[in-house]
């Protein structure tokens, strides 16, 4: 089954949907906020929780809760490693979903 996604609406939902739950913490001298929000209801296909991540108050690209590539993203703090980031954010997500 193919689903057509209105990209403008998706971007708006990602930016503006109210947080269901959130946690803030300091990572390598930077403030990180991880939020869970309902993406699916606003998009019309039912409850679907997604993650949003902010670094020093700036929203990171959608999907930044886990870095899959080996190339270091420009937004990643200089003192951090990709594996550090993935572990810390994964723990934060597990904390707020319990």
């Amino acid at each position: 089954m193919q689903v057509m996604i209105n990209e403008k609406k998706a971007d708006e939902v990602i930016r503006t949907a109210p947080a269901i739950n959130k946690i803030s913490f300091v990572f390598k001298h930077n403030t990180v906020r991880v939020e869970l929000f309902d993406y699916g209801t606003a998009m019309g296909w039912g409850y679907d929780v997604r993650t949003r991540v902010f670094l020093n108050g700036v929203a990171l690209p959608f999907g930044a809760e886990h870095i899959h590539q080996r190339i270091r993203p420009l937004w990643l703090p200089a003192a951090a490693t990709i594996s550090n980031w993935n572990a810390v954010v994964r723990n934060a997500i597990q904390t707020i979903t319990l």
Side-chain angles (χ1 to χ4, degrees):
M1 180 174 116
Q2 290 184 334
V3 177
M4 301 300 287
I5 297 176
N6 180 331
E7 290 183 28
K8 275 188 169 182
K9 183 175 182 180
D11 287 342
E12 181 182 334
V13 170
I14 291 167
R15 282 186 288 102
T16 64
I20 296 169
N21 207 347
K22 58 186 164 188
I23 188 170
S24 294
F25 56 93
V26 175
F27 174 69
K28 306 288 183 182
H29 306 289
N30 294 277
T31 303
V32 178
R33 186 174 76 234
V34 178
E35 298 181 348
L36 299 180
F37 68 100
D38 180 10
Y39 179 73
T41 301
M43 293 301 290
W45 57 68
Y47 193 69
D48 183 9
V49 176
R50 302 290 176 100
T51 305
R52 230 179 351 227
V53 182
F54 297 83
L55 182 63
N56 296 325
V58 177
L60 296 179
F62 193 57
E65 67 274 7
H66 185 80
I67 302 170
H68 298 280
Q69 69 232 26
R70 293 174 190 254
I71 300 170
R72 181 185 188 80
L74 295 175
W75 52 261
L76 189 64
T81 65
I82 291 174
S83 59
N84 275 110
W85 175 263
N86 288 341
V88 168
V89 175
R90 180 176 40 251
N91 288 339
I93 292 169
Q94 288 173 350
T95 300
I96 61 177
T97 56
L98 296 178

